[in-house]
Structure formats: C-alpha cells, structure tokens
Amino acid sequence: MTTASAPPATAETPQPPAPAQTSEPPATPPLRVLLRYARPHRTVLLATLLLVLAASAAGLVQPLVAQHVLDGLSDGRGVLGPVLLLAALVVLGAGLTGLQSWWQQRTSERVVRQIRRDLVFRLIRLRVPELDRRPPGDLISRVTSDSALVQNAATEGLVMVSNGVLSILGAVVLMGVVHLGLLGVTAAVLIAVALVMVLVLPRIREAVARAQESVGAVGAALDRTLGAARTVKANGAEGRETERAGEAIEGAYRAGLAGARYVALVKVLSGVSIQAAFLAVLGVGGALVAAGSLEASALIAFLLYVFYLASPVGSLVAGLSMLQQGLGAVGRIEQVKHMPVEDDVDDPREGLATVAAPGAPPVEFRDVRFSYPGRAPALRGISYTVPGGTQTALVGLSGAGKTTMFALLQRFHEPASGQIRIDGVDIATLPRSEVRRRIAYVEQESPVMAGTIEDNLRYAATGASDEDIAEVLRLTRLDTLIDRLPDGLRTEVGNRGVTLSGGERQRLAIARALLRRPEVLLLDEATAQLDASNERALREAVDQAARRCTVILIAHRLSTVTGADQIVVLEHGLVRAAGTHAELVEADVLYRELASSQMLVSEGNEDIGELADVPR
C-alpha cells in the first residue's frame, strides 16, 4: 500500500485561523493589580477599616480623658465618671480590634483562594511549549508563596495603611488642639524620617521579587530531583543534587537577607521617629511648662498622643512594607496571566458516559512542516494518508519526527505550515477539546497518575460502565493482576505508578486509552516494556481496536508492526517510503537494514516477518 499524495490547497480548503499575537499587552501597574484583587471584597474591607478606625478613635480619646482625670485630681473634683469612661474606651477598643481581626483574616483567606484558583486554572491550561521551557517548581511557587504575599498585601496591608494614615491625621488634629507649637516640633521630626523611608521602601519590593525568584529556583531543583528519584539514587547522585539544591537555597537565603535588612531598617526608623519626637516634645514642652506658658496636664496629654502615634505609625510602616512585598509578588503572578493558554480545552461533555465512536476516520498529513525553537526542522514537508479503520506504523531512526507528528495530532504544538486532517477536517479549525476527545494517546513513558487503578482507568472516561472496564482489563490481560490484588481495582498505584512494573503501567495506559473508545488511537512504542506473551495479547487487542478506530503506531521493534496495513518510513523529517512490510523489504534499503538488524529478514532478503507476526 502506498501513501496518498496530498492535494494542493484550494480556495475552498478550510484554512487554520491566524496565529494569535504573541506580544504581551502593556504591563498594568502593580498597585492597580493589587487593588483589583481587593475590589470584589471592598464592602467587607471598608467595614473592617471602619472597625479599625473606631478602635483608633477610642484610643485617640483616651489622652483627652486622661487629661480631665489629671485636672480633676489637681482641682479636687470627682473623677469617677472620667475613669469609668476611660475603662469603657479601653474595653471597646479591644473588642473592636478583635472583631476587625476576624473579618480581615476571613477576607484575606478569600482573596488568596481566588488568586490560587485563577492561577491553577491557567497553569493547568498552559500550552505545552510554555510548560516545556518553565520549571514546574517555579510555577508551583507562584501558587503557594507568591499568592500568600499578595493575600496579605491586598487585605491586611491596605487596611493597615489606610488606618495608619487616618489615625495619624486624627492624632495630628487633636495634637493641634492641645498645642500647635509642639505639633510643629513633632511634625518636623516625623517628616525627616519619612523622607528616608521613601528611599528605602521601593528597595523592599525589588528584594522580595528577587527572593521569590530564588524560592522558585529551590522548587525547580527539588522537582527535578524528586521527579527522577530512582535515577538519582541508582547513579549515586544524591550528593550532587543536594549541592545543586543547596546552591538554590543559598541564593534564596541571600535574597531573603537583603529584604530583611530593608524591613529591619524601616522598623528602626519608625521606632526612632517616635522616640525622637517624644524627646523633642519633652524638651520643648518642659521648657514651656517651666516658663508657665503650658499646663503640665496639657504636656502629659500631648506626650500621650506622641506615644499613641507609635501604633498608627507602626501600622503605616508595616502596611507599606507589606504592600511592597505584595507588589513584588504581583509581578510574578501577572506573568502567568500573560503566558499563552489553551482556551478551548474545556469540553462540556466531560464526565458523560462514553459512547462508541461513530466511525474510524482517515487521517491525513498535508505538507506539514514544524521546528522546535532554536533547532533544525523536525518535519520538512510530511504528506501521507492513514485510511480509516486501518493500522499504520511509523518507523525510522530516532529523531526522524515520529513523536513530533503525534504531538501535532494532539495539538500540543501547531505546525508552521501545512494541514493535518481527520475525516477531511483540518484539526486547526476544531477546538482542542474536540480533537483530543476523538483521539486517545498512549505515551512512550506510559505515565500513571497517583491514585487507584480504577481512578486511572476512568481518568478520561468517567462514565464508563463496569462491563466496559472488565472488557479492557481482559483485552490488556490486566484482569489476572486485578484478581491477585487484595483491593482489586481500588489498589493504590503510588506516586507516578511506582508500585506497578513497567509492563503493568504500559498495559494500564493502553487500557485507559481503549476505554475511551476513540476514533483514532495513537500508540507510541506501546509494547516496549512487555514480554512476548503480553506483547502478543496486546497486539491482538490493538487488532480488535482497529476494527472500530484508526490506529497509528510508533515502533522501533518491527516485529510488532509487520502485520500493519501500512508502514511509513521516516528519515530526517521526511517520508522516505511507505507500503507493507513485504513491499518495503524489497523496495527500501533503510527499512531492509532495520528489519535485518532485528532478524526479520534473512541474509538472502527472504521475509521471515510472519514468524513474529500475529495472524489478523
């Protein structure tokens, strides 16, 4: 059987949509992004701020009441009323502070919940090229540590800054009522310190951004090591990997210290400002009292206001520091918002019962070209047709482009030019959810998800019946394994299926694919880890699957595909030859060499492939 040549594109041929623009939109100011996170909770945050201000007001009144108590004591008047009022203000302030803290923390948790939901939604839908070039650990850190910084900044930080500013303004007004001259002394000290803080606070944002990048590097190093734990241990590389992770940890430590230095400096400045203001007021006020131009009770009240300023100033400084940390993390979170995602993968039919495929469609490659970034072309104009309801095998040396074609069929990548058609329809015109619903893909590594065997079987066919599951278990010879397990289908397979053998993982992945009843079945070296008996059984299962779907296989072991309806030989991203096993042994030198190296052809070129083939 020979390949069908691809007809030229005509005006009626559906063309794929124009590629999306890759340029990122103008960056939104981080503060505006932060306020956007807080906006849905503005009512609760406003109520929280009002509670804080009420508590602050209770504190603001206390020095004035204390002044009345002192005046009453000096004049011999009764002070029971002012003392009771002072006690009531203390209790009221404490109660309001507790209620405000609960509301604020609840809102904070709601904010971070939404941030993490949005991030997870996008990260799971990132396009494959984006996932290929970014360490998973770095992406995960944006969901965990970065979102926590934004959580604090968008709620507690905003409330603390607002409370600090308004409380300081209130204190300033009341301090002016007590004595304008002393207010001028206090303001001069605070303004001098504020000017220094304006220079320091932006450094916190920069330091936090660097620290979060370093934390992401630590996560990436661990993901690299733990994801290949057996390889690390088998090669005695624990020391090297520990050193590599240690370097990332050291980088995070240095970046964290830089941020900590600036935060400590800000705290020192805020504390010094209050102490300096107190000493300045005490000195000037003491001189005024000595001169008889200021009452001692007024000086005491004013000093109480200076002490009171410590709380709102501390709140303002802490809030500003928190905002700077959040703004540093916002940048990394916003990067995820600009990463390209697959926005057409949510299938409304997901979770419904699996139904039989309507037919086995033909698959066509029409002058398909593709290159990975920074590499030579992987496909240089591939054209061939897979007739519906048949088996086609792709063979060739490593790097010929076989797995790349599977990735393009699944729309993990998009071809640079050309078309891939299923049942005459260009898959570029279909949503990815529709393309992947029609195709089942068994990867070469046969990945298994953590969970039970049943979880893995139903992963893409949640509505499959027990009878369907029993059938695919029988076809893949997993039924005997299930019968031996005490928990049967509910047996846990461990992280990445570590409790299963390589062959068991491979059969489980194939059973999962068959359970979907796909229109097209892609098998990437699906029998590589099977013994001869299970390989024969699985080939029989594939033969049965080919009666209701189109099967495309990648194979290095030619014994598994000698009975295929069509074998396509690939070399350097081009179709070198196509035909049956017998035709290719006679007509193509490369295929004959591959078959000879696997003892499928005698020295006289006599075809002995039937010895390894299963009658169909």
Side-chain angles (χ1 to χ4, degrees):
M1 182 182 298
T2 58
T3 56
S5 60
T10 64
E12 291 78 15
T13 302
Q15 297 299 317
Q21 297 294 322
T22 56
S23 59
E24 292 186 0
T28 305
L31 182 57
R32 184 178 299 176
V33 175
L34 199 64
L35 293 175
R36 189 173 67 213
Y37 288 130
R39 189 174 298 120
H41 310 277
R42 56 184 178 274
T43 302
V44 178
L45 288 175
L46 180 59
T48 301
L49 177 59
L50 291 176
L51 287 176
V52 173
L53 293 176
S56 298
L60 280 171
V61 176
Q62 291 174 28
L64 290 178
V65 177
Q67 182 179 1
H68 285 298
V69 172
L70 292 173
D71 289 339
L73 290 174
S74 62
D75 297 341
R77 290 183 279 114
V79 295
L80 179 59
V83 168
L84 291 177
L85 177 59
L86 189 60
L89 289 172
V90 171
V91 173
L92 178 63
L96 292 174
T97 300
L99 181 59
Q100 169 268 328
S101 177
W102 158 245
W103 279 8
Q104 182 174 288
Q105 290 300 319
R106 184 182 64 176
T107 305
S108 177
E109 292 300 327
R110 289 177 176 176
V111 168
V112 77
R113 177 183 64 180
Q114 189 58 49
I115 292 173
R116 286 171 176 167
R117 280 178 173 172
D118 292 344
L119 284 173
V120 167
F121 182 89
R122 291 191 65 85
L123 289 176
I124 291 177
R125 288 162 179 77
L126 285 183
R127 296 189 179 182
V128 171
E130 194 71 25
L131 289 170
D132 288 343
R133 71 185 188 90
R134 293 186 181 273
D138 177 64
L139 296 176
I140 292 171
S141 72
R142 302 179 195 226
V143 181
T144 53
S145 58
D146 287 344
S147 63
L149 291 177
V150 176
Q151 164 197 15
N152 294 331
T155 54
E156 187 176 359
L158 290 176
V159 171
M160 290 176 73
V161 169
S162 302
N163 172 55
V165 170
L166 295 176
S167 297
I168 289 173
L169 290 176
V172 166
V173 170
L174 293 177
M175 290 167 78
V177 170
V178 175
H179 198 278
L180 285 175
L182 293 180
L183 174 61
V185 173
T186 305
V189 174
L190 295 181
I191 289 173
V193 176
L195 291 176
V196 178
M197 286 191 179
V198 168
L199 300 176
V200 174
L201 285 173
R203 305 291 181 87
I204 296 177
R205 182 197 308 186
E206 299 170 2
V208 167
R210 290 194 299 269
Q212 293 304 104
E213 293 287 349
S214 300
V215 170
V218 174
L222 277 178
D223 179 79
R224 175 183 184 273
T225 303
L226 299 180
R230 284 167 171 73
T231 302
V232 171
K233 294 179 181 299
N235 289 277
E238 290 91 343
R240 294 195 300 276
E241 294 299 333
T242 301
E243 183 178 356
R244 181 191 296 268
E247 292 174 357
I249 293 171
E250 185 65 23
Y253 168 73
R254 289 194 296 268
L257 279 186
R261 281 195 294 268
Y262 290 121
V263 171
L265 178 58
V266 167
K267 289 184 176 180
V268 169
L269 289 173
S270 64
V272 166
S273 65
I274 299 300
Q275 296 298 327
F278 174 79
L279 293 175
V281 169
L282 183 61
V284 175
L288 292 175
V289 170
S293 58
L294 180 68
E295 295 290 334
S297 61
L299 175 60
I300 293 174
F302 198 95
L303 289 174
L304 288 175
Y305 275 120
V306 173
F307 275 120
Y308 169 83
L309 278 179
S311 177
V313 167
S315 175
L316 177 61
V317 169
L320 288 173
S321 298
M322 203 173 289
L323 280 179
Q324 293 299 322
Q325 293 174 13
L327 294 176
V330 158
R332 284 169 46 81
I333 290 178
E334 283 298 290
Q335 284 180 359
V336 177
K337 301 290 182 66
H338 295 148
M339 294 177 189
V341 296
E342 299 177 340
D343 54 5
D344 55 355
V345 296
D346 294 298
D347 190 347
R349 289 167 293 188
E350 185 177 359
L352 300 179
T354 305
V355 296
V363 177
E364 305 170 69
F365 280 74
R366 296 187 172 192
D367 195 27
V368 174
R369 300 174 186 272
F370 176 78
S371 298
Y372 293 100
R375 294 170 57 181
L379 301 180
R380 303 169 183 269
I382 292 288
S383 295
Y384 66 91
T385 298
V386 179
T390 65
Q391 290 188 45
T392 290
L394 307 179
V395 302
L397 301 176
S398 296
K402 303 182 292 296
T403 300
T404 297
M405 281 192 285
F406 276 15
L408 295 178
L409 260 171
Q410 287 281 84
R411 292 195 65 190
F412 295 154
H413 300 276
E414 301 295 332
S417 63
Q419 293 182 347
I420 302 173
R421 292 172 165 249
I422 295 180
D423 206 13
V425 179
D426 186 354
I427 64 173
T429 65
L430 299 174
R432 289 179 176 83
S433 60
E434 175 66 15
V435 173
R436 294 168 188 172
R437 182 189 64 81
R438 301 174 69 178
I439 298 175
Y441 179 28
V442 180
E443 302 171 60
Q444 186 171 0
E445 296 82 7
S446 302
V448 173
M449 311 293 286
T452 66
I453 293 177
E454 184 175 13
D455 292 337
N456 276 274
L457 286 171
R458 295 184 183 274
Y459 193 70
T462 55
S465 66
D466 293 341
E467 293 75 16
D468 292 334
I469 291 178
E471 176 65 13
V472 297
L473 291 177
R474 184 188 63 78
L475 288 174
T476 55
R477 290 196 179 181
L478 280 172
D479 51 348
T480 55
L481 169 67
I482 301 302
D483 291 340
R484 293 197 308 267
L485 297 172
D487 295 328
L489 287 172
R490 292 183 173 82
T491 300
E492 294 284 341
V493 299
N495 185 40
R496 306 188 185 186
V498 294
T499 64
L500 302 176
S501 69
E504 289 167 348
R505 286 196 297 272
Q506 209 160 27
R507 282 183 285 160
L508 181 57
I510 294 172
R512 180 173 59 203
L514 294 176
L515 191 60
R516 293 182 56 187
R517 298 186 179 180
E519 298 175 30
V520 179
L521 177 62
L522 307 180
L523 301 172
D524 190 350
E525 201 63 35
T527 60
Q529 301 186 55
L530 301 182
D531 55 50
S533 175
N534 282 315
E535 178 186 326
R536 182 182 295 270
L538 203 55
R539 288 166 60 196
E540 292 174 350
V542 172
D543 288 343
Q544 293 188 37
R547 297 171 186 170
R548 61 174 184 245
C549 69
T550 303
V551 179
I552 308 177
L553 311 91
I554 293 176
H556 290 99
R557 290 163 55 180
L558 299 186
S559 62
T560 63
V561 298
T562 53
D565 299 289
Q566 177 181 224
I567 300 174
V568 178
V569 184
L570 300 170
E571 186 178 33
H572 303 311
L574 293 168
V575 174
R576 174 188 172 96
T580 64
H581 170 71
E583 291 170 347
L584 291 173
V585 166
E586 292 295 329
D588 186 71
V589 175
L590 175 60
Y591 185 83
R592 186 163 58 248
E593 289 177 353
L594 292 173
S596 177
S597 67
Q598 297 181 32
M599 303 181 67
L600 295 178
V601 177
S602 66
E603 293 184 0
N605 289 344
E606 179 184 351
D607 183 4
I608 58 173
E610 302 91 24
L611 298 178
D613 190 25
V614 177
R616 298 183 58 211

